[in-house]
Amino acid sequence: MGAMTTSRPRAAGAAEPGDADAALAAAARGDQAAFAAFYDATAAAVHGTVLRVLRDPAQSEEVVQEVFLEAWRTAARFDPGRGSARGWVVTMAHRRAVDRVRSSQAGSSREERYGVREDAPYDSVSEEVEVLLEHEDVQRALDVLSPVQRQAVDLAYYGGRTHRQIAEDLDLPLGTVKTRLRDALLKLRDAVGVRS
Amino acid sequence: MNGRDERQQRPGDDEALAGAWALDALDDDERAAYEERLRREPAERRAADELRETASLLGAAAAVPPPARLRADVLAAVAATPQEPPAGTAPVADLAVRRRRRGGPSRWSALVAAAGVLVAAAGAGVALDARGDAERARQVAEARREQQRTAESTLEQVAALLASGDSVTVQVSSGGTATVVRAGDRAAVIAAGLPAAGEGHAYQLWLVHDHGVTPGAVMPQAGGQDGPAVALVEDLGSATGLGLSVEPAGGSQQPTTTPVVVAPLPA
């Protein structure tokens, strides 16, 4: 699993992740000003994640608010041994956004708009990602992915599709999709320097 | 990372799912099974955590600042929202350190006094029932010990208390009983026959002091059809009683509902 340099998963390219970590730790002790700093350090990532998945600004704002309230309530449960504070809150946001996509009827109309038919290429999603990419490490890493790896990652992370759905969408064996998603993230991990 | 797909025991219990898990691309059942697997396999969990941290960069890479008014909304909501204690049955002493404000004398002191009257009126017959509850709770503790390594020491301490401590049982206002067993500075609470706490809620233990209350463990097993649930207090400090209230499932820093029971600590 690569060189062991530090004791926790950590994105080397993330902008000053320690700020968010320290702010969240203070917020866990009830410090509202520290929580405001945590919000400032992570709100764009949280909002962008949710917006990318839901594509509806009003719903996205609602989810962002829910996510930060959950982060405030459960700040004491953040385990810095398992990743960064930004990773923690972005993960929380992504899960909520995906849950909403999967549980809502809007999911089906959304699927039509951003579907995965052969002639409605996933590339439209990737292109937007490229436009909005925040930092070069991830950009470089995405270039490292093969087109089919990138397609699978886009469908899963930005499209909110399960690996079973992706297998159906792309008419691939489930095992192939599982492996593809894992290998893509391993490659991405090595490119951006997340290490534990 | 091998190809055991066809031989896996349960969908989701599969090392190869690390990527799909990190990307939130598992359905709920698979995710539960995979996360159970991660609890068994620390090395896999570390690797999976790395992939999840990596996946979160895909979100960070899509960053779009939210509208400015959202910040004010969030911070206003935060100011009105109590925080939850760490998950699980953390020692109460730790929670007390984390607590920032102490409540005033409040209604709790009066409730302790009222509970004392209730116990006196109920008489010795109730105390006899406590032993039956205690025995059933001990069996529950034994069963859970096999399932939850992290709770092991807590439950052993509860079992020890059940064997040696003095107990008092009080009726819970919403139904059922709460038995408090005390030995020195430590105590256990056995909640039996309580109504379900409701979706997204759980019973939480409180230490009642003359000056207010401090938070105790959340008891996710308490209430509903399950058997008696137990929680341990490691250090009673100045507490004169223990209470239970219904709180959001993660627990609260201060009670947000009227306690369903307050029991005085046995001497």
Side-chain angles (χ1 to χ4, degrees), chain A residues 1 4 8-11 13-14 27-32 35-37 39-40 43-45 47-49 51-52 60-62 64-65 68-69 71-77 79 81-84 86-88 90-91 94-95 98-99 102 129 132-135 138 142 152-153 156-158 160-164 166 174-176 178-179 181-182 185-186 188-189 192 194-196, chain B residues 1-6 8 10-12 14-28 30-31 34-35 38-39 43-88 95 97-101 218 248-251 253:
Chain A
M1 285 299 170
M4 299 292 181
R8 45 175 295 184
R10 165 68 72 203
R29 296 188 294 271
D31 185 336
Q32 293 179 22
F35 191 79
Y39 177 94
D40 292 339
H47 180 247
T49 301
L51 187 62
R52 176 56 50 87
S60 297
E61 286 176 31
E62 210 177 291
V64 169
Q65 189 154 0
F68 277 106
L69 268 189
W72 164 254
R73 282 202 318 270
T74 63
R77 293 193 208 161
D79 178 358
R82 297 192 67 186
S84 68
R86 185 169 76 167
W88 179 72
V90 166
T91 298
H94 187 258
R95 172 74 62 79
V98 164
D99 283 350
R102 289 185 193 156
V129 175
L132 292 166
L133 270 179
E134 193 187 39
H135 61 76
V138 180
L142 285 173
V153 165
Y157 199 81
Y158 298 126
R161 308 288 284 170
T162 68
H163 68 138
R164 289 180 191 283
I166 294 170
L174 188 59
T176 303
K178 276 193 283 202
T179 309
L181 292 175
R182 189 195 63 201
L185 277 189
L186 285 169
L188 206 52
R189 180 201 67 182
V192 297
V194 171
R195 285 288 182 276
S196 71
Chain B
M1 307 279 177
N2 52 36
R4 294 186 306 160
D5 299 359
E6 303 311 316
Q8 69 196 53
R10 178 182 169 194
D14 176 1
E15 182 179 11
L17 285 176
W21 172 76
L23 291 160
D24 284 332
L26 297 180
D27 65 36
D28 290 345
E30 289 171 325
R31 183 168 65 223
Y34 182 73
E35 289 179 354
L38 291 185
R39 282 190 284 276
E44 277 186 38
R45 174 169 141 168
R46 267 191 302 281
D49 283 346
E50 285 182 6
L51 295 193
R52 190 171 59 178
E53 181 78 8
T54 302
S56 75
L57 287 177
L58 293 165
V64 178
R69 64 183 149 68
L70 198 61
R71 185 181 193 273
D73 289 351
V74 165
L75 296 181
V78 156
T81 303
Q83 287 180 298
E84 296 172 5
L95 298 176
V97 169
R98 290 185 55 253
R99 208 169 60 77
R100 299 178 68 232
R101 296 190 308 268
V218 177
Q253 290 296 99

Side-chain angles (χ1 to χ4, degrees), chain B residues 135-155:
Chain B
E135 182 53 35
R136 279 158 61 211
R138 192 207 301 268
Q139 290 166 8
V140 170
E142 289 294 333
R144 284 189 60 208
R145 183 162 53 188
E146 291 174 10
Q147 299 165 354
Q148 282 189 300
R149 279 169 295 163
T150 54
E152 190 172 331
S153 68
T154 300
L155 293 171

Side-chain angles (χ1 to χ4, degrees), chain B residues 156-251:
Chain B
E156 280 174 355
Q157 292 170 69
V158 169
L161 276 172
L162 291 175
S164 66
D166 294 315
S167 73
V168 62
T169 297
V170 296
Q171 302 295 319
V172 174
S173 64
S174 53
T177 59
T179 299
V180 176
V181 188
R182 177 186 195 166
D185 280 333
R186 304 163 74 206
V189 175
I190 302 139
L194 271 59
E199 188 69 34
H201 290 77
Y203 289 93
Q204 183 174 3
L205 182 63
W206 301 97
L207 280 73
V208 184
H209 309 266
D210 288 336
H211 56 259
V213 299
T214 52
V218 177
M219 302 177 70
Q221 292 84 15
Q225 298 304 309
D226 295 340
V230 295
L232 182 71
V233 180
E234 303 254 3
D235 181 7
L236 288 166
S238 65
T240 57
L242 296 174
L244 286 173
S245 68
V246 175
E247 299 295 336

Side-chain angles (χ1 to χ4, degrees), chain A residues 52-188:
Chain A
R52 176 56 50 87
V53 175
L54 292 180
R55 293 174 179 271
D56 177 288
Q59 271 199 64
S60 297
E61 286 176 31
E62 210 177 291
V63 171
V64 169
Q65 189 154 0
E66 289 171 8
V67 166
F68 277 106
L69 268 189
E70 186 184 351
W72 164 254
R73 282 202 318 270
T74 63
R77 293 193 208 161
F78 166 62
D79 178 358
R82 297 192 67 186
S84 68
R86 185 169 76 167
W88 179 72
V89 73
V90 166
T91 298
M92 205 181 275
H94 187 258
R95 172 74 62 79
R96 267 184 193 258
V98 164
D99 283 350
R100 219 177 240 234
V101 163
R102 289 185 193 156
S103 65
S104 74
Q105 277 296 35
S108 52
S109 60
R110 180 186 173 287
E111 209 170 289
E112 285 161 22
R113 280 181 291 149
Y114 305 101
V116 290
R117 294 167 297 139
E118 292 288 326
D119 58 341
Y122 49 87
D123 282 345
S124 60
V125 177
S126 291
E127 282 160 16
E128 284 181 49
V129 175
E130 284 168 10
V131 169
L132 292 166
L133 270 179
E134 193 187 39
H135 61 76
E136 295 172 4
D137 288 333
V138 180
Q139 175 70 74
R140 244 194 330 271
L142 285 173
D143 288 343
V144 165
L145 299 182
S146 73
V148 293
Q149 283 177 330
R150 185 148 176 182
Q151 171 192 36
V153 165
D154 281 354
L155 286 170
Y157 199 81
Y158 298 126
R161 308 288 284 170
T162 68
H163 68 138
R164 289 180 191 283
Q165 290 170 328
I166 294 170
E168 285 169 24
D169 294 342
L170 302 178
D171 197 21
L172 287 170
L174 188 59
T176 303
V177 174
K178 276 193 283 202
T179 309
R180 192 172 287 179
L181 292 175
R182 189 195 63 201
D183 291 351
L185 277 189
L186 285 169
K187 222 182 211 182
L188 206 52

